Every structure is written in structure tokens, then in C-alpha cells.
Amino acid sequence: MNGIKIKGTGKGLPRRIMTNEDMAKIVETSDEWITTRTGIQHRHHVSQGESITALTVAAARQAMENAGVTAEQIGACVVATLTPDTLVPSAACWVQRELGLPHDIPCFDLNAACTGFLYALHTMECLLNASPRKFGLVIGAEQLSRITNWEDRGTCILFGDGAAGVVVECREDWPSIGAVLGSHGTDQMLRVPGVETDAPSLIYMEGTKVFKFAIEAVPWCIDQVLQRHGKTIEDVDFFVFHQANARIIDLVVRKYQIPLEKYYKNIQEYGNTSAASIPLVLSDLWDQGKIGAGSRLLIVGFGGGLTWGGAYVEFE
């Protein structure tokens, strides 16, 4: 299978910033309690008059501008999300309309929770292999503040809103990203009930169990991706982790002795943004000039489902 590389990044963030002090006015908590346990200091939340659709479109538009790609060149659009403004039309269909993407391409949403962006990257690689157009939009977008249980101090402090994405290109002479993906169906650790059910559609999570799952899943993904590609830690320019908890990242970094200059944390600014988390890291790194042409990344995510995944991705 022909491979894909990242050509440009973009993001869209809500204007409203919720600090830990703001959270302490809602539930019994403190800045010190949140920071020491999660690493989070701020998170963006959509406010009245804002929509995740607008943020998703903004992220897609910026990614296309940075990539130098026009709407007519896009061969598919996949939005990873569990919180679109509307179930139908999908968030991807709204992007198609707002950006004037071609009418004869697949545009759809994908829900794999916090692993969604990786699932969408792999899906896009498959789609572009069957498309005459060789550029694709992959976006992660969430408005988790709208499904947060504001009476649960263990979870309401964690989640933020936002959108970010990439334009990828597919070529015959490029290797596949070789995504490693997995799932195990369970609702015991993390779940959001659907619409028209007896339970409210709010996030339920057992943080300790999810933490234990993550510190096993992330190393497994790293090992599998390196083995599949015949690479070592030294071959990777940057490690991009789902930003769920700073302590999870710190444990993995120590395990693999990853140098400080090879990984990045922005959880302090955005909190856990689920499917938007990984592309927000990519967009920040791009904006800061830390990654660009030829950069080699190992990307790892995990989340509800349960789902997990990793991939070795390069910049064009």
C-alpha cells in the first residue's frame, strides 16, 4: 500500500479559557490538586455563540493553507469526534460544505474516542490509495465540556474543547505509516451513554483503572510500531502522545529514556481534548518550528472503547 505523509497542520480553539481557579468555583478542588495529579492548568471551553463545527472548519482551512492545497485537490475528509454539533449531517459534511470540497469524495465522522485521530489517519491512508485525488483532510474535534458531569470533580477538571487537523498526501514511493490499532469492548472504565437512553449522556470514567490501562497500552504501541518499521528510539525525531495525563507521559518517557527535546506536553494549556489532542500537539509543534519537512514522528493514543493505537508518520 502507498504511504501518506503530513503536509500541513491547523487548529481552532474556543475563546473561553477555564483556569484551575475557575474550576475551584464549580467543584471542591484547587489549582495544586489538579496540577500535581494531571499537569493541567488551563482548558478551552466553547461558550454561547461558538460551535465545534466552526472550530473544525477553521482547523481544516488553516491546515490546507499551510499545506498549499486547494479544495479541489482534496480526495477525502475524515473527522474524528464523539461530540459533533449534529449527528446528521456529520461534522465532515459540514466541512465539505463550508470549504467547498468536491462533491464526489467521501466525507464522514469516526468515533474511536481519544484514539480517533490515529484511526482516522489509517483510514485516510486506505481511502487515498483508492482515490484519484491524493490529498486528504484528517481532523480531530471535540466539545467535551458539553458532555461533562460538572458534579464529578474527578472528571470535570480534565476535559477541554478544540479542533486540530492535518492535510496528508499519498504517493507511490512513500512507505505506509504502518498503524498498529486495537480495541477491547468494555464500558466499565470509560463510557458516555447514547441519546434517548435512561442514563444522561455524560462522561463516566474510573480514572485509576484508565491510568493503569494507559501505562500498559502506550509502551505496547511504541514497541509494536518500532518493530513493524524496523526502527529504534534513536530513529524517531519526535514522540507525540495523547495528552490525557502528564504523569502517564512522564512514566513512558522515563521507561524509554526519551530525551527532553524529543517529546512535548501541552496538556497544561488544553487539558484532555480526546480526538483533538494529538493533532493539537502536531499543530503546536509546527507553529513553533520544532517539526517540519522530513520530521519522523511516532504517534501514540489510547481511549474509550477501549481503543489504542500507534503509527510512524513523516512530514513531507
Side-chain angles (χ1 to χ4, degrees):
M1 182 168 67
N2 301 326
I4 58 173
K5 293 187 180 183
I6 297 173
K7 196 168 178 66
T9 69
K11 62 177 175 279
L13 293 167
R15 294 184 298 272
R16 183 187 181 195
I17 297 176
M18 290 285 288
T19 66
N20 289 344
E21 288 78 10
D22 293 329
M23 300 303 300
K25 298 174 183 177
I26 300 174
V27 291
E28 184 180 351
T29 190
S30 68
D31 174 63
E32 180 184 10
W33 193 92
I34 297 172
T35 302
T36 56
R37 287 164 175 77
T38 69
I40 300 170
Q41 297 175 340
H42 311 92
R43 70 286 287 153
H44 292 250
H45 285 171
V46 292
S47 53
Q48 188 173 4
E50 287 186 309
S51 72
I52 198 64
T53 297
L55 299 176
T56 305
V57 170
R61 180 178 285 113
Q62 186 180 81
M64 289 171 60
E65 291 174 353
N66 286 336
V69 171
T70 64
E72 293 76 18
Q73 294 176 283
I74 298 296
C77 176
V78 181
V79 177
T81 183
L82 59 91
T83 54
D85 283 326
T86 56
L87 296 177
V88 179
S90 68
C93 283
W94 288 123
V95 172
Q96 183 276 327
R97 187 187 77 169
E98 293 301 312
L99 296 184
L101 305 183
H103 288 238
D104 59 341
I105 66 170
C107 297
F108 59 91
D109 293 353
L110 183 156
N111 177 10
C114 302
T115 322
F117 184 76
L118 276 161
Y119 271 59
L121 267 183
H122 172 70
T123 301
M124 181 60 70
E125 186 172 61
C126 297
L127 290 171
L128 292 182
N129 268 270
S131 171
R133 299 181 178 95
K134 295 304 179 183
F135 297 96
L137 269 171
V138 183
I139 309 158
E142 301 287 14
Q143 48 184 342
L144 298 177
S145 64
R146 291 183 174 170
I147 59 168
T148 293
N149 181 354
W150 293 103
E151 296 180 356
D152 180 3
R153 76 167 188 162
T155 63
C156 71
I157 62 171
L158 301 175
F159 301 112
D161 305 336
V166 299
V167 169
V168 297
E169 181 180 0
C170 181
R171 288 190 190 176
E172 292 182 6
D173 56 340
W174 286 346
S176 168
I177 63 174
V180 174
L181 303 173
S183 61
H184 172 67
T186 177
D187 65 350
Q188 298 304 304
M189 300 184 203
L190 179 56
R191 67 176 179 270
V192 180
V195 296
E196 300 299 329
T197 58
D198 293 335
S201 295
L202 300 175
I203 299 170
Y204 167 83
M205 184 174 75
E206 292 195 19
T208 301
K209 290 183 178 179
V210 172
F211 187 94
K212 291 179 179 178
F213 155 66
I215 60 176
E216 293 180 1
V218 173
W220 185 88
C221 289
I222 291 174
D223 292 342
Q224 291 296 310
V225 170
L226 291 175
Q227 181 180 341
R228 177 169 291 193
H229 288 271
K231 304 293 185 181
T232 66
I233 295 293
E234 290 71 28
D235 294 320
V236 179
D237 295 322
F238 236 99
F239 290 82
V240 177
F241 300 107
H242 165 50
Q243 307 285 302
N245 187 302
R247 291 191 297 164
I248 294 173
I249 298 173
D250 292 341
L251 285 170
V252 174
V253 165
R254 286 199 295 269
K255 176 181 175 65
Y256 289 94
Q257 297 182 333
I258 299 172
L260 180 63
E261 66 272 13
K262 282 196 172 188
Y263 71 96
Y264 178 75
K265 289 187 288 188
N266 62 10
I267 189 172
Q268 68 277 4
E269 296 298 328
Y270 304 132
N272 182 345
T273 55
S274 187
S277 169
I278 288 173
L280 276 172
V281 172
L282 295 174
S283 182
D284 279 0
L285 291 173
W286 171 286
D287 291 344
Q288 295 169 19
K290 293 182 178 180
I291 57 175
S295 295
R296 302 164 299 177
L297 316 176
L298 199 158
I299 304 176
V300 182
F302 59 90
L306 296 169
T307 60
W308 57 90
Y312 187 79
V313 184
E314 297 183 15
F315 269 73
E316 187 270 333

